[in-house]
């Protein structure tokens, strides 16, 4: 005699076994060619075919067991409840977590044990935080899937490099110019894609990103093509250069300090921190403005926006322009930090990483994006010792995060107007 | 005598190769509730949308208080006193009720604080739910929100697209009562598209019947309700 309980256990076991068998079948299909057959170069130089059936069998067995364990351990109702509880706890912790993270970022250069390498990593992470926050305006708030965001980063970087090279303009003049030029290109991209949504928009923006890169690569007379532009001027401390020579006209000389190469790194660190915080501040402010709410409404339902009388054209173009502007700032910063840029730095994978940061952080969440940038960029550095397994560990970590938190690290959206803030 | 609030003259419109409206003419006087009834696919929603310029009219004219708005951009039409609660409600699901309402006022250039009390008085439920996400509301509450959001723009003319769709009879009666209330107390002009012909014709002063893009009948609400063709076609026989 079977009780209902044991019957349901048996049913689950059956379903899990079936599921595991399916996964094993797929794995077998993949591994039989990829692992099972291998060609080696023989002693005579001819290719020898070698079979590795035991390896295939081991892999398939591993897939079967792992899939079975996964299917049995994840109960459907549990899977639904846990993220909600997590999110509530995380949003509570987030109240303290954000300021704590900011405080840590502010004092980072003065923490003992933080050297040149850590600061450089910090600068890199903050660059991606800024790019993530910038892209978040386009993707997270306005809901326009942009796969070519790196194009605006490139426009910013090349704007500064070329303006400095041809006209000798300083970083502080070029920074706003780079932002304006990138915003202009954002509008230029925006016009043809006004009527596109979702996948179609993604394809066109992807193509746009590639066009910018290919133009940079081939317009050798202006951009130097694949050789890039080198000798881009370093930023000055409001006119005081960082120079190892010291002397009255330099940063060290003016403040009576011993010349030290770390001054420039610390300055760059605070510069990108300030730029990132500016991005965050503007994005947060705008979210509470009519245009910010229009972006969010656009993400939710374009037809409803039209029926309400929102000017869709202006709404989309401002989102593209503003998002692009911050990428332009970040690009100018990138150029001055590296002192060398080439089209190599602006490939599609950069767009993909920035988009991954935004998605992983939970679309629309500022703090989530900061955490995701630290995890993605910092984590990637952390796994450096793993050599060729680095990508594997990294990919596994991303899959794990998406399984545990399918809506991103911080997946909940808080309203921009609250009950208490409004008088009745 | 002043002309009608809304006058549609020989309007044709459609999507792509589909001609949904084939020369529709109707008019709505100031302070009237006019209903447009018809089967699925008759072109009712297309008519409401093309009043707003999306899709644009292929022929004919739309006049609002005598002004030709046929070629105006959609957002300007919506700023000149027309509001629509679109088909399927189309509230913003991840935004709070309050944010949804504010969007309605802001898009039309109105001050949200001035409009909120009126909407909350009409639908007290929305006041209770104001910090809740739109998507978590029940169907009836979402419909209230869609109408409330449209009212936030302080319209002269309210276009309602199937407000009773998918609602329990009790809830849809509440919605219809609210529309009647708006019309009687505030003198709001309403053009109501409905499949629920029975309720709509009882509420409306006048009605039009739309069949495959053409107006086939018109008359007062009571008059249309009494006609046998209407009873057979739209009221489900002995309903």
């Amino acid at each position: 005699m079977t009780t209902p309980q044991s019957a349901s256990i048996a049913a689950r076991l059956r379903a899990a076994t079936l599921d595991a068998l399916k996964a094993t079948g797929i794995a077998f299909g993949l591994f039989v060619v990829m692992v099972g057959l291998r060609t080696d170069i023989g002693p005579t130089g001819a290719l020898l075919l070698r079979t590795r059936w035991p390896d295939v069998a081991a892999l398939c067995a591993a897939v079967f067991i792992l899939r079975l364990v996964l299917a049995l351990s994840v109960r459907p109702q549990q899977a639904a409840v846990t993220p909600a509880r997590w999110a509530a706890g995380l949003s509570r912790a987030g109240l303290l977590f954000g300021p704590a993270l900011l405080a840590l970022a502010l004092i980072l250069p003065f923490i003992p044990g933080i050297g040149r390498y850590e600061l450089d990593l910090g600068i890199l992470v903050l660059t991606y935080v800024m790019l993530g926050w910038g892209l978040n305006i386009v993707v997270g708030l306005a809901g326009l899937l942009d796969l070519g965001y790196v194009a605006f980063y490139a426009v910013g970087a090349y704007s500064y490099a070329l303006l400095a090279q041809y006209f000798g303009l300083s970083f502080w003049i070029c920074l706003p110019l780079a932002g304006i030029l990138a915003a202009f290109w954002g509008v230029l991209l925006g016009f043809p894609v006004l009527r596109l949504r979702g996948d179609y928009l993604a394809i066109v923006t992807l193509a746009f990103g590639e066009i910018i890169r290919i133009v940079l690569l081939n317009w050798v007379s202006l951009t130097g093509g694949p050789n890039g532009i080198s000798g881009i001027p370093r930023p000055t401390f409001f006119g005081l250069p960082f120079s190892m020579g010291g002397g009255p006209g330099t940063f060290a000389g003016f403040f009576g300090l011993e010349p030290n190469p770390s001054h420039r790194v610390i300055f760059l660190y605070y510069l990108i921190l300030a730029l990132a915080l500016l991005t965050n501040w503007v994005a947060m402010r705008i979210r509470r403005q009519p245009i910010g709410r229009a972006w969010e409404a656009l993400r939710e339902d374009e037809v409803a926006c039209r029926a309400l009388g929102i000017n869709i054209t202006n709404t989309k173009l401002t989102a593209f322009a503003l998002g692009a502007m911050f990428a332009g700032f970040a690009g100018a910063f990138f150029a001055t930090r590296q002192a060398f840029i080439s089209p190599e730095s602006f490939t599609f994978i950069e767009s993909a990483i920035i988009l991954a940061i935004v998605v992983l952080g939970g679309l629309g969440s500022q703090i989530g994006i900061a955490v995701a940038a630290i995890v993605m960029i910092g984590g990637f550095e952390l796994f450096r010792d793993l050599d060729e397994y680095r990508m594997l560990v990294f990919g596994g970590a991303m899959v794990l995060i998406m399984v545990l938190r399918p809506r991103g690290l911080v997946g909940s959206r808080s309203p921009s107007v609250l009950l208490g803030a409004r008088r009745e | 005598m002043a002309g009608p609030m809304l006058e549609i003259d020989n309007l044709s419109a459609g999507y792509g190769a589909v001609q949904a409206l084939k020369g529709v003419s109707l008019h709505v006087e100031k302070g009237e509730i006019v209903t447009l009834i018809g089967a699925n696919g008759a072109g009712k929603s297309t008519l409401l949308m093309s009043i707003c310029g999306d899709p644009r009219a292929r022929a004919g004219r739309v006049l609002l208080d005598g002004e030709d708005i046929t070629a105006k951009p959609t957002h300007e039409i919506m700023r000149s006193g027309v509001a629509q609660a679109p088909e399927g409600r189309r509230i913003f699901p991840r935004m709070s009720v309050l944010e949804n309402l504010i969007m309605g006022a802001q898009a039309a250039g109105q001050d949200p604080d001035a409009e909120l009390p009126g909407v909350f008085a009409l639908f007290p439920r929305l006041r209770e739910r104001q910090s809740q996400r739109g998507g978590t509301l029940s169907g009836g509450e979402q419909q209230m929100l869609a109408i409330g959001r449209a009212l936030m723009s302080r319209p002269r003319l309210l276009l309602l697209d199937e407000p009773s769709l998918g609602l329990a009879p009790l809830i849809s009666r509440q919605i219809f009562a609210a529309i009647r209330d708006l019309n009687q107390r505030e003198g709001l002009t309403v053009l109501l598209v409905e499949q629920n012909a029975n309720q709509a014709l009882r509420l409306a002063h006048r009605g039009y019947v739309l069949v495959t893009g053409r107006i086939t009948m018109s008359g007062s609400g009571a008059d249309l309700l009494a006609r046998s063709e209407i009873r057979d076609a739209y009221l489900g026989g002995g309903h």
Side-chain angles (χ1 to χ4, degrees):
Chain A
M1 198 185 90
T2 57
T3 62
Q5 251 181 334
S6 70
S8 87
I9 290 172
R12 272 191 63 201
L13 202 64
R14 217 175 15 253
T17 313
L18 210 65
D19 183 51
L21 279 175
K22 270 188 217 156
T24 312
I26 294 168
F28 179 76
L30 285 171
F31 290 139
V32 77
V33 231
M34 285 168 56
V35 178
L37 303 175
R38 192 188 154 94
T39 49
D40 288 322
I41 295 171
T44 59
L47 287 177
L48 294 175
L49 187 66
R50 196 153 62 82
T51 57
R52 299 190 292 184
W53 303 127
D55 292 1
V56 175
L59 280 168
C60 288
V63 166
F64 179 79
I65 290 165
L66 281 173
R67 188 70 210 180
L68 195 66
V69 169
L70 188 70
L72 286 176
S73 62
V74 179
R75 284 163 180 268
Q77 59 268 50
Q78 257 183 349
V81 168
T82 317
R85 226 176 36 223
W86 267 46
L90 214 82
S91 75
R92 262 200 310 278
L95 291 176
L96 291 173
F97 187 64
L101 205 62
L102 177 62
L104 183 69
L106 281 171
I107 60 165
L108 187 77
F110 303 108
I111 295 173
I114 297 292
R116 172 83 196 249
Y117 169 74
E118 285 80 7
L119 267 187
D120 269 333
L121 184 57
I123 291 170
L124 191 66
V125 168
L126 281 172
T127 310
Y128 279 95
V129 170
M130 179 175 178
L131 287 168
W133 280 340
L135 183 61
N136 187 41
I137 293 172
V138 186
V139 178
L141 290 184
L144 304 163
L145 185 52
D146 185 349
L147 287 183
Y149 193 61
V150 77
F152 307 120
Y153 189 41
V155 167
Y158 271 88
S159 298
Y160 172 50
L162 293 174
L163 286 171
Q165 195 178 41
Y166 287 97
F167 302 105
L169 296 181
S170 82
F171 175 72
W172 293 105
I173 294 171
C174 290
L175 184 67
L177 285 178
I180 290 165
L181 281 167
F184 168 75
W185 282 96
V187 172
L188 220 60
L189 165 69
F191 265 112
V193 301
L194 276 175
R195 299 168 61 104
L196 303 179
R197 282 185 70 75
D199 339 7
Y200 300 99
L201 176 64
I203 292 167
V204 176
T205 52
L206 172 69
F208 180 78
E210 286 301 287
I211 288 170
I212 296 275
R213 188 179 64 85
I214 289 168
V215 167
L216 292 175
L217 198 59
N218 289 290
W219 196 350
V220 180
S221 60
L222 181 75
T223 66
N227 300 327
I229 298 172
S230 54
I232 299 165
R234 296 302 202 141
T236 57
F237 185 85
F238 306 105
L240 299 173
F242 294 93
S243 161
M244 280 311 292
T250 67
F251 174 78
F254 187 81
F255 289 98
L257 297 168
E258 197 63 32
N260 186 332
S262 72
H263 286 163
R264 180 194 285 146
V265 182
I266 292 174
F267 174 69
L268 283 172
Y269 176 82
Y270 280 116
L271 179 59
I272 187 64
L273 183 61
L275 284 172
L277 289 176
L278 175 76
T279 313
N280 182 43
W281 183 76
V282 170
M284 295 306 280
R285 289 286 302 200
I286 287 198
R287 230 194 104 199
R288 296 192 187 89
Q289 306 288 324
I291 183 70
R293 254 186 236 116
W295 287 341
E296 291 203 76
L298 189 69
R299 176 194 67 202
E300 303 278 287
D301 195 322
E302 190 169 329
V303 174
C305 283
R306 251 181 244 275
L308 286 184
I310 293 170
N311 187 337
I312 305 275
T313 308
N314 287 358
T315 309
K316 282 191 178 178
L317 290 183
T318 47
F320 272 120
L322 208 74
M325 185 181 81
F326 288 115
F329 289 154
F333 173 82
F334 177 77
T336 193
R337 174 177 107 98
Q338 300 286 96
F340 166 76
I341 52 169
S342 77
E344 284 280 280
S345 310
F346 308 106
T347 51
F348 169 66
I349 190 73
E350 292 295 317
S351 288
I353 289 174
I354 302 163
L355 186 65
I357 287 172
V358 175
V359 173
L360 210 60
L363 287 165
S365 159
Q366 299 293 96
I367 189 78
I369 287 167
V371 174
I374 295 169
V375 170
M376 290 271 297
I377 308 301
F380 203 61
E381 280 297 313
L382 208 66
F383 298 139
R384 196 175 272 285
D385 296 337
L386 296 172
D387 296 330
E388 66 258 47
Y389 295 106
R390 186 160 117 166
M391 281 311 247
L392 190 68
V393 172
F394 185 63
M398 275 190 75
V399 170
L400 200 68
I401 291 172
M402 283 339 262
V403 166
L404 291 175
R405 300 213 30 86
R407 307 193 62 183
L409 292 171
V410 183
S412 59
R413 172 190 176 275
S414 54
S416 62
V417 192
L418 290 172
L419 205 57
R422 185 162 282 274
R423 302 174 313 280
E424 287 296 331
Chain B
M1 191 194 107
M5 168 147 283
L6 176 74
E7 186 171 8
I8 295 175
D9 180 23
N10 202 23
L11 181 73
S12 295
Y15 296 94
V18 181
Q19 179 89 340
L21 300 175
K22 300 157 187 160
V24 172
S25 295
L26 59 81
H27 65 98
V28 182
E29 301 294 335
K30 188 169 165 45
E32 257 190 331
I33 300 180
V34 171
T35 187
L36 187 69
I37 58 176
N40 261 340
K44 307 187 299 288
S45 298
T46 311
L47 181 67
L48 283 201
M49 288 306 285
S50 59
I51 292 172
C52 306
D54 178 28
R56 224 152 259 300
R58 290 175 181 170
R61 289 190 311 160
V62 181
L63 302 175
L64 182 70
D65 272 332
E67 185 199 354
D68 191 338
I69 58 167
T70 323
K72 261 191 170 182
T74 302
H75 63 270
E76 279 179 30
I77 295 173
M78 308 317 283
R79 274 167 193 257
S80 54
V82 181
Q84 177 167 186
E87 187 180 14
R89 309 190 260 272
R90 292 196 171 266
I91 53 149
F92 303 121
R94 285 175 62 192
M95 297 171 81
S96 73
V97 169
L98 191 58
E99 287 173 313
N100 265 277
L101 291 173
I102 288 173
M103 280 312 303
Q106 265 171 1
Q110 297 288 347
D111 173 21
D113 290 295
E115 305 302 321
L116 268 177
V119 171
F120 281 154
L122 185 68
F123 299 118
R125 190 68 70 83
L126 295 182
R127 185 201 298 275
E128 294 164 27
R129 307 265 155 141
Q130 58 178 303
S131 56
Q132 217 170 304
R133 288 186 349 169
T136 64
L137 299 183
S138 73
E141 289 164 347
Q142 289 192 7
Q143 187 59 58
M144 292 176 194
L145 181 55
I147 296 175
R149 189 178 62 181
L151 291 174
M152 289 291 286
S153 69
R154 192 190 277 270
R156 284 183 281 171
L157 172 67
L158 179 63
L159 309 175
L160 293 176
D161 199 343
E162 303 221 22
S164 75
L165 188 73
L167 299 185
L170 183 68
I171 308 292
S172 78
R173 271 201 290 281
Q174 280 177 15
I175 300 280
F176 278 90
I179 298 168
R180 187 191 301 269
D181 195 39
L182 273 172
N183 174 257
Q184 284 176 351
R185 278 194 306 121
E186 324 251 329
L188 183 68
T189 312
V190 179
L191 176 56
L192 170 71
V193 155
E194 258 303 336
Q195 283 206 54
N196 187 342
N198 193 11
Q199 271 190 330
L201 288 173
R202 271 168 218 264
L203 174 72
H205 299 107
R206 289 190 302 114
Y208 291 90
V209 178
L210 191 66
V211 177
T212 56
R214 287 192 179 86
I215 301 279
T216 56
M217 261 182 276
S218 65
S220 74
D223 181 28
L224 285 175
L225 259 180
R227 291 214 203 168
S228 62
E229 311 96 284
I230 302 263
R231 300 195 74 85
D232 295 342
Y234 303 108
L235 303 181
H239 215 58

